[in-house]
Amino acid sequence: MAEPLVVLEGVNKHFGDLHVLKDIDLTIGHGEVVVVIGPSGSGKSTLCRTINRLETFESGSITIDGQPLPQEGKALARLRADVGMVFQSFNLFAHKTILDNVTLGPMKVRGQKKAEAQARAKELLERVGVAHQAAKYPAQLSGGQQQRVAIARALAMDPKVMLFDEPTSALDPEMINEVLDVMVGLARSGMTMIVVTHEMGFARKAADRVIFMDEGEIVEQAEPEEFFTNPKSERAKDFLGKILTH
């Protein structure tokens, strides 16, 4: 196993009476790509959002690169800069150009000079295939292009780990692959990634490990080939039976 980068130990989280994360133990190594799947309401997105403290948790611990997750303030902002996040919605600043969207974080949080931030942003926009859109505003781009910009924006912070929370679920079908292709490239480049997704093809192609969650628990985890061809738990078999037959 690679050196651990993200470590969750005994993490519990409730929304009122609902126990959404139950004693989660999970270690993700440097450069590992982990895909989290499971039925709706299984706790996948909550898990993802807990790793950069968009959601609080009641008990247990989470460390990133050996550092415990800070509660709030400057330390949390610094930690969040190390954890890139891409959501269902692209969350780009509507009144800023694509280039400005990507340079804002590095200049504000990392203190990069404008010229340096812009050079890096152009490189990243090139990498995700939207360099020619740099002067446009988000509303002028397709959903797939906006999501690729959101990935470039997260990468511009030079994060240690990237979290993807159902990054393609709000996209039209013909745009999904352009985003997944960028993510596959990222996975192959050695980026540590935690991806909550319904895209089983991506899980098969890019994941080192698939984690199956149900009712707030990690029920099963295995390499993709093993998981998809030979799931151990009844719950995973049932889930795969429902999604793979269509």
Side-chain angles (χ1 to χ4, degrees):
M1 173 88 182
E3 184 80 6
L5 179 59
V6 180
V7 181
L8 290 79
E9 287 179 343
V11 172
N12 282 281
K13 160 89 184 160
H14 290 78
F15 287 126
D17 292 339
L18 196 63
H19 197 172
V20 285
L21 294 178
K22 301 175 183 168
D23 287 320
I24 298 287
D25 291 319
L26 178 62
T27 298
I28 291 159
H30 277 270
E32 193 180 10
V33 177
V34 172
V35 169
V36 185
I37 64 173
S40 286
S42 57
K44 315 180 293 286
S45 287
T46 306
L47 175 75
C48 204
R49 295 166 70 87
T50 305
I51 292 172
N52 77 343
R53 258 206 190 280
L54 285 171
E55 298 283 0
T56 55
F57 54 99
E58 288 100 34
S59 62
S61 71
I62 300 180
T63 58
I64 293 177
D65 217 5
Q67 299 297 312
L69 267 190
Q71 296 283 344
E72 57 207 21
K74 284 220 162 85
L76 180 59
R78 273 199 299 277
L79 175 112
R80 283 213 179 123
D82 284 339
V83 181
M85 183 105 194
V86 179
F87 304 91
Q88 293 182 24
S89 53
F90 325 123
N91 296 352
L92 298 172
F93 294 110
H95 59 287
K96 291 192 181 302
T97 65
I98 297 308
L99 188 65
D100 287 345
N101 264 283
V102 179
T103 56
L104 192 68
M107 286 161 60
K108 277 227 160 51
V109 181
R110 297 275 194 223
Q112 275 184 18
K113 302 265 189 294
K114 189 170 184 178
E116 183 192 351
Q118 287 191 337
R120 173 86 174 124
K122 285 175 180 160
E123 203 176 287
L124 289 167
L125 289 170
E126 183 73 47
R127 181 171 171 185
V128 301
V130 288
H132 57 297
Q133 310 282 10
K136 290 188 177 169
Y137 290 87
Q140 297 172 283
L141 272 58
S142 72
Q145 289 170 327
Q146 289 188 58
Q147 192 59 297
R148 287 184 284 149
V149 172
I151 293 172
R153 179 181 59 179
L155 289 173
M157 297 297 284
D158 208 16
K160 292 176 177 170
V161 55
M162 288 274 283
L163 307 177
F164 293 86
D165 186 8
E166 302 200 10
T168 58
S169 63
L171 296 175
D172 293 334
E174 72 272 16
M175 294 175 189
I176 290 175
N177 282 341
E178 64 190 57
V179 173
L180 293 176
D181 287 347
V182 168
M183 291 169 61
V184 169
L186 199 54
R188 301 213 164 125
S189 76
M191 174 59 78
T192 310
M193 294 165 63
I194 301 167
V195 184
V196 174
T197 187
H198 297 289
E199 299 294 333
M200 300 302 144
F202 173 80
R204 282 200 140 132
K205 194 188 286 187
D208 296 305
R209 184 164 35 135
V210 172
I211 288 174
F212 173 70
M213 286 184 76
D214 192 18
E215 294 179 359
E217 297 172 307
I218 292 178
V219 177
E220 194 170 331
Q221 43 185 315
E223 289 183 1
E225 205 39 49
E226 173 70 12
F227 178 78
F228 287 113
T229 52
N230 189 21
K232 302 281 183 284
S233 64
E234 284 309 313
R235 284 195 276 180
K237 283 177 190 159
D238 182 51
F239 175 75
L240 289 173
K242 284 183 180 134
I243 58 163
L244 294 178
T245 48
H246 296 297

